[in-house]
Amino acid sequence: MVEKILNDAGIRNKPTRFLKPPKGTYAVWFDRYTKSGADMRKTIYNHSCSIELYSYEVDDVAENLIEIELDKRALEYTKQERVWLQSEQLWEVIYTFDYKAKEAIT
């Protein structure tokens, strides 16, 4: 789901990292999950996700587009304060959210 959110927002993205970061605004994302369920079937995924948005200049448009996509999916999320990464010469904003998904039983 995280990749779809970022693709729908029109933001270049990859899971975990870019080997060579692109020019302009981009995001890396993480999707950790646990599985649970009942009756010997582990079909419920509890996802804990984060999106790290990086930009060379403050990019309010990209931030807004991510928030629109999260809101469309009715996801509760936390947006951390924008910080300047001196060593990377980039701005960073981190979004975190959780959601549950159920695997179809065949």
Side-chain angles (χ1 to χ4, degrees):
M1 175 189 290
V2 184
E3 185 173 28
K4 177 112 174 83
I5 288 168
L6 292 167
N7 287 341
D8 289 354
I11 297 171
R12 288 176 288 191
N13 68 88
K14 288 219 184 246
T16 312
R17 69 182 182 138
F18 277 91
L19 291 176
K20 184 176 181 182
K23 301 233 185 285
T25 300
Y26 64 93
V28 295
W29 53 271
F30 304 87
D31 184 357
R32 300 160 198 83
Y33 66 88
T34 59
K35 286 181 79 172
S36 62
D39 300 328
M40 303 296 288
R41 295 187 177 191
K42 303 292 185 220
T43 59
I44 299 171
Y45 289 82
N46 300 295
H47 292 264
S48 181
C49 304
S50 61
I51 296 170
E52 297 177 2
L53 180 68
Y54 296 98
S55 57
Y56 293 93
E57 296 181 9
V58 172
D59 193 339
D60 291 322
V61 172
E63 291 177 33
N64 189 47
L65 290 169
I66 289 173
E67 292 165 22
I68 288 169
E69 293 303 324
L70 291 168
D71 291 341
K72 278 184 190 176
R73 292 161 175 84
L75 292 167
E76 292 183 20
Y77 61 89
T78 300
K79 178 183 180 180
Q80 294 181 10
E81 183 178 348
R82 182 187 302 129
V83 295
W84 174 248
L85 303 175
Q86 183 66 35
S87 62
E88 303 296 327
Q89 296 291 294
L90 290 169
W91 289 99
E92 176 190 54
V93 178
I94 299 175
Y95 294 87
T96 57
F97 59 94
D98 299 321
Y99 73 96
K100 293 180 186 279
K102 187 168 183 180
E103 181 180 296
I105 299 174
T106 56

